[in-house]
Amino acid sequence: MSRYEALGAVPVVISISDVPQALQRGTVDGIWSTQESVRSSKLFDSGIKYGFEDRQAFLQYVPMISRKAWDSYPPDLQDLIQTTWNDLVSEARKNALGLQEEARQSNADNGIETVDPDPEALAETRAKLMATQPALIEELGISKEFAELVEAELAKIMN
């Protein structure tokens, strides 16, 4: 919630099924979502008129397997899962991005105007959000070492 508060919002948690009614009644006046979620929920019919491409989401799909299950698999099956994932992940992410782009156009066709901020505005927003990250890491119980490893890997990609 602190991430939204850092941007001046008063966050509330609402299940996705209740969002259309909350928008129509004015219980909430905005949401954080993806273009595809707005399209598939037809939130343009519930009052969403504007979008802001803040790029704070990194759309990715990752295999989720419990440690107990993973440890029970023989090494050849573990290798097959890893190899298959590595072979398919780039294409899956491209497809996910394509769906977002299609959804953005569909949302525009239904009256939603999406704003793309300039690099300076993105940097300012990112700085505000990154200031909340240490508290978020602690709140979620993520190890400091793991967070540092992820940051180092992201730095390699972003440079």
Side-chain angles (χ1 to χ4, degrees):
M1 299 285 212
S2 62
R3 294 176 67 80
Y4 304 106
E5 291 166 349
L7 297 175
V10 178
V12 287
V13 177
I14 298 177
S15 74
I16 189 67
S17 62
D18 293 333
V19 168
Q21 187 175 50
L23 286 164
Q24 291 167 350
R25 290 187 173 181
T27 306
V28 297
D29 57 10
I31 62 168
W32 180 81
S33 189
T34 65
Q35 294 278 357
E36 177 57 27
S37 293
V38 169
R39 174 177 66 172
S40 65
S41 298
K42 297 185 178 182
L43 295 179
F44 39 78
D45 290 338
S46 299
I48 295 289
K49 297 294 178 202
Y50 301 97
F52 180 73
E53 288 282 348
D54 59 7
R55 297 182 183 90
Q56 71 167 306
F58 177 63
L59 303 173
Q60 61 179 330
Y61 300 95
V62 296
M64 303 295 285
I65 302 170
S66 73
R67 171 61 69 188
K68 182 179 178 183
W70 183 258
D71 290 344
S72 72
Y73 299 155
D76 62 325
L77 182 55
Q78 290 177 354
D79 184 57
L80 177 63
I81 292 169
Q82 290 176 328
T83 301
T84 302
W85 178 254
N86 289 336
D87 289 346
L88 299 176
V89 68
S90 291
E91 191 63 30
R93 289 184 179 148
K94 284 180 196 171
N95 290 339
L97 179 59
L99 286 174
Q100 291 302 317
E101 291 167 350
E102 289 173 18
R104 179 178 170 149
Q105 183 58 54
S106 177
N107 290 337
D109 294 344
N110 284 284
I112 295 177
E113 179 184 340
T114 299
V115 174
D116 291 290
D118 60 40
E120 294 80 20
L122 282 175
E124 182 181 323
T125 301
R126 186 175 197 288
K128 286 179 185 176
L129 293 174
M130 290 304 291
T132 68
Q133 185 166 293
L136 182 62
I137 288 170
E138 185 174 331
E139 179 184 338
L140 295 175
I142 298 171
S143 78
K144 183 179 176 184
E145 295 78 17
F146 180 72
E148 289 171 353
L149 175 66
V150 170
E151 285 183 31
E153 291 301 313
L154 286 173
K156 290 178 190 176
I157 295 169
M158 297 174 78
N159 293 332

